[in-house]
């Protein structure tokens, strides 16, 4: 589906501005980032109000998972954009003696940022920070499921940027589809693997480079030597923050058999302590977010019902109120492969628990599915943790914690295979939105001695060079 003429005109202005910005240097980029940071800080209260309206999320939780990550991302980019933008000298092989080599980061041009509903501010503004730091112009398309936050982003962006630098477009799936039919120089998409495939297919027509931040079933493994109480606290937080609507949330738990019962009891106790109203009265309290929409709420209810009908045991939770978009934090035991919760990414407040005999079995079970966006392990054994990281591929991992790797802008964030392509955050995000251009400058290289015709003297020279490089004739 095509776009209306007004949007097409805006895109043309953005492309023109992208060309003009190619030689601007880092100073104007830093100025824009500073302005965005000031506006974000000024509008912090408005951000929390908008997200509370869309997701019912507690204000402190929004500070933790939306405001602080973007603030850190902006601070990092402001401090480093000069260094990141500078040409990077690199060494040159002996055969090219007499030349110099460097990598020059250059803007890609006009970029499209398609952001999701679960963290609607940070997953729009984080990529936008990298995009601006790299010198590009951008179109931002937020999710239609979070209209209050979309309005907040529109006002924020219009306050900071000219419309030919950053332009926010609201709308639904048809708008996103129309944008994907337009030529962009880079597409940054955060969302489901299913939609990610459609984005990649559209980008292939360009072809256009992409960063895809997707998802998958992220496992958490707890071994018998772990600190059970600390593991339970961190798993409960990582799973149920934002009502489980987190792409890197622990999707399922693999507990080593000797401590499985103790761990389940500790998790149940922790859930009851942290969410007393949700698990006691079966009503949403002030510290627990809503599900984003009635359709997503019903999916969570159906997942629990399907599991129960197929033999799952509810250890805690299970209550719901579809009219309030509420599903209680729920822990399920006695899981089997025919249950939908064992097949689909849950993206909600449901934690299935599996008991495994040992780490080998846990790794085997994880590797039976696609590599996840994130994985977690709790153990005091460094060798076991290293084995887990080496043998079970994932986009990123934490040892003895959950989620927190996302909060370090100096760590590249992204998936592997079906869970994502490319990396974001900090320098990795800057490079994702940059053309890392290779440049070689010839001063007095001897390459002319290897041009045809290939005389005996040139062949002897080649033989000497190869011997010097360790190759015997």
């Amino acid at each position: 589906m095509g776009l209306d003429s007004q949007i097409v005109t805006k895109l043309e202005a953005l492309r023109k501005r992208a060309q003009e910005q190619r030689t601007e240097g880092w100073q104007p980029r830093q100025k824009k980032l500073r302005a965005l940071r000031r506006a974000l800080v000024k509008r912090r209260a408005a951000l929390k109000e908008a997200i509370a309206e869309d997701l019912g999320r507690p204000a402190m939780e929004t500070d933790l998972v939306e405001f602080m990550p973007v603030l850190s991302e902006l601070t990092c980019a402001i401090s480093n954009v000069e260094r990141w933008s500078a040409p990077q000298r690199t060494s040159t092989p002996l055969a090219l003696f007499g030349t110099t080599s460097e990598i020059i980061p250059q803007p890609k041009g006009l970029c499209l940022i398609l952001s999701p509903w679960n963290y609607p501010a940070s997953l729009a503004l984080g990529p936008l920070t990298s995009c601006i730091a790299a010198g590009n112009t951008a179109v931002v398309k937020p999710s239609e499921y979070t209209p209050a936050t979309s309005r907040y982003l529109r006002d924020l962006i219009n306050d900071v940027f000219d419309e030919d630098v950053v332009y926010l477009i609201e709308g639904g799936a048809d708008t996103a589809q129309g944008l994907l039919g337009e030529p962009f120089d880079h597409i940054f998409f955060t969302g489901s693997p299913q939609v990610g495939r459609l984005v990649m297919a559209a980008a292939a027509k360009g072809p256009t480079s992409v960063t895809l931040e997707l998802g998958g079933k992220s496992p958490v493994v707890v071994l018998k030597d772990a600190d059970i109480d600390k593991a339970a606290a961190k798993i409960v937080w990582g799973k149920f923050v934002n009502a489980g609507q987190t792409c890197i949330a622990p999707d399922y738990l693999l507990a080593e058999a000797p401590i499985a019962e103790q761990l389940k009891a500790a998790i149940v106790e922790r859930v009851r302590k942290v969410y007393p109203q949700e698990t006691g009265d079966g009503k949403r309290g002030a510290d627990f977010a809503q599900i984003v929409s009635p359709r997503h709420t019903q999916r969570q209810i159906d997942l629990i019902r399907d599991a129960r009908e197929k033999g799952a045991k509810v250890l805690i939770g299970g209550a719901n109120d579809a009219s309030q978009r509420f599903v209680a934090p729920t822990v399920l035991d006695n899981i089997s492969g025919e249950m939908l919760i064992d097949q689909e990414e849950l993206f909600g407040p449901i934690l299935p628990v599996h008991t495994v005999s040992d780490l080998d079995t846990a790794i085997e079970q994880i590797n039976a599915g696609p590599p996840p966006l994130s994985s977690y392990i709790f153990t005091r054994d460094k060798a076991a943790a290293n084995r887990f990281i080496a043998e079970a591929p994932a986009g990123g991992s934490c040892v003895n914690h959950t989620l927190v790797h996302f909060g370090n802008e100096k760590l590249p964030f992204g998936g592997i295979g079906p869970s994502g392509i490319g990396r974001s955050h900090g320098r990795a995000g800057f490079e994702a939105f940059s053309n890392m251009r290779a440049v070689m400058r010839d001063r007095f290289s001897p390459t002319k001695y290897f041009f045809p015709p290939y005389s005996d003297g040139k062949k002897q020279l080649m033989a000497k060079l190869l011997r010097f490089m360790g190759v015997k004739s």
Side-chain angles (χ1 to χ4, degrees):
M1 182 174 292
L3 299 170
D4 65 45
S5 58
Q6 181 181 2
I7 293 177
V8 172
T9 300
K10 296 287 187 184
L11 295 180
E12 291 172 355
L14 285 154
R15 289 189 191 97
K16 181 180 178 182
R17 182 64 177 268
Q19 288 295 326
E20 294 170 354
Q21 289 185 175
R22 294 188 67 84
T23 57
E24 270 189 348
W26 62 270
Q27 293 93 337
R29 307 177 196 178
Q30 188 184 66
K31 183 178 179 180
K32 293 169 190 170
L33 294 171
R34 289 187 189 278
L36 180 56
R37 190 184 189 281
R38 286 194 300 270
L40 179 72
V41 171
K42 179 181 177 181
R43 296 170 182 263
R44 176 183 162 215
L47 169 64
K48 291 187 284 189
E49 290 169 5
I51 290 180
E53 182 177 339
D54 286 330
L55 291 165
R57 191 196 294 150
M60 180 176 171
E61 204 162 277
T62 293
D63 268 342
L64 181 67
V65 300
E66 298 262 19
F67 180 77
M68 286 176 59
V70 178
L71 192 68
S72 296
E73 193 78 39
L74 280 163
T75 302
C76 178
I78 290 166
S79 299
N80 291 286
V81 63
E82 178 181 6
R83 180 169 59 87
W84 292 344
S85 303
Q88 305 165 27
R89 289 291 297 269
T90 187
S91 59
T92 302
L94 178 64
L96 296 173
F97 175 78
T99 66
T100 60
S101 301
E102 60 186 338
I103 302 167
I104 302 178
Q106 295 182 327
K108 284 189 173 179
L110 173 57
C111 302
L112 173 63
I113 298 171
L114 299 171
S115 59
W117 52 261
N118 59 327
Y119 292 91
S122 63
L123 296 180
L125 297 176
L128 180 61
T129 297
S130 299
C131 181
I132 296 302
N136 303 288
T137 60
V139 171
V140 179
K141 162 61 178 74
S143 172
E144 66 274 22
Y145 283 108
T146 48
T149 310
S150 293
R151 291 192 296 271
Y152 165 86
L153 290 170
R154 180 194 62 205
D155 294 343
L156 176 76
I157 286 171
N158 289 344
D159 186 41
V160 175
F161 300 103
D162 294 334
E163 283 192 345
D164 62 349
V165 176
V166 181
Y167 182 56
L168 185 139
I169 299 177
E170 297 178 86
D174 289 346
T175 301
Q177 185 178 348
L179 286 168
L180 288 170
E182 295 291 320
F184 286 91
D185 299 298
H186 188 74
I187 299 173
F188 192 109
F189 170 79
T190 306
S192 70
Q194 293 80 10
V195 179
R197 293 186 184 95
L198 299 178
V199 172
M200 193 168 184
K205 296 175 182 177
T208 302
S209 62
V210 296
T211 303
L212 303 178
E213 304 286 11
L214 306 178
K217 294 184 73 64
S218 296
V220 53
V221 175
V222 181
L223 298 185
K224 61 186 177 183
D225 67 331
D227 185 314
I228 299 302
D229 289 337
K230 288 182 180 179
K234 292 171 181 177
I235 291 168
V236 167
W237 172 72
K239 178 62 191 183
F240 298 116
V241 68
N242 200 37
Q245 299 167 113
T246 305
C247 58
I248 57 172
D251 191 89
Y252 62 99
L253 169 61
L254 300 172
E256 197 170 14
I259 50 86
E261 294 305 316
Q262 181 186 357
L263 177 63
K264 285 184 281 188
I267 288 175
V268 168
E269 180 182 354
R270 182 68 184 180
V271 172
R272 187 174 287 120
K273 179 180 180 181
V274 175
Y275 303 111
Q277 187 169 342
E278 289 79 4
T279 54
D281 301 333
K283 301 292 183 182
R284 189 176 73 87
D287 293 335
F288 194 69
Q290 288 176 305
I291 307 299
V292 68
S293 74
R295 179 174 69 84
H296 292 82
T297 305
Q298 190 59 50
R299 177 177 176 268
Q300 297 298 312
I301 295 170
D302 291 343
L303 286 169
I304 295 172
R305 181 173 61 245
D306 174 81
R308 277 176 155 168
E309 290 174 352
K310 294 172 181 174
K313 179 183 177 182
V314 177
L315 299 181
I316 193 168
N320 63 78
D321 184 345
S323 67
Q324 298 298 313
R325 290 157 40 202
F326 166 71
V327 176
T330 300
V331 182
L332 299 176
D333 195 10
N334 196 32
I335 308 303
S336 60
E338 67 269 16
M339 298 174 186
L340 293 177
I341 59 169
D342 206 44
Q343 301 168 17
E344 301 177 8
E345 181 182 4
L346 302 181
F347 221 74
I350 306 169
L351 179 64
V353 182
H354 298 257
T355 299
V356 293
S357 56
D358 51 27
L359 178 58
D360 289 338
T361 307
I363 290 173
E364 182 179 351
Q365 185 165 334
I366 294 167
N367 288 341
L373 182 56
S374 295
S375 65
Y376 310 103
I377 186 168
F378 288 83
T379 179
R380 291 184 174 94
D381 185 342
K382 185 176 180 179
N386 289 341
R387 263 200 65 207
F388 174 77
I389 291 168
E391 296 180 21
S397 298
C398 293
V399 178
N400 294 323
H401 217 312
T402 61
L403 307 192
V404 293
H405 61 303
F406 183 89
N408 184 355
E409 70 279 356
K410 294 178 177 62
L411 285 176
F413 178 81
I416 176 174
S419 62
I421 295 173
R423 289 293 183 267
S424 61
H425 293 186
R427 181 159 200 154
F430 170 86
E431 292 185 356
F433 282 97
S434 299
N435 171 32
M436 303 302 288
R437 186 170 181 173
V439 177
M440 180 173 283
R441 305 179 194 274
D442 191 348
R443 295 182 297 169
F444 48 84
S445 72
T447 51
K448 62 183 180 180
Y449 297 114
F450 299 96
F451 296 164
Y454 301 121
S455 64
D456 290 342
K458 291 179 180 179
K459 292 176 183 177
Q460 291 172 8
L461 182 60
M462 174 63 79
K464 289 179 180 179
L465 178 60
L466 290 173
R467 283 198 298 273
F468 184 83
M469 297 175 69
V471 178
K472 297 179 179 179
S473 57

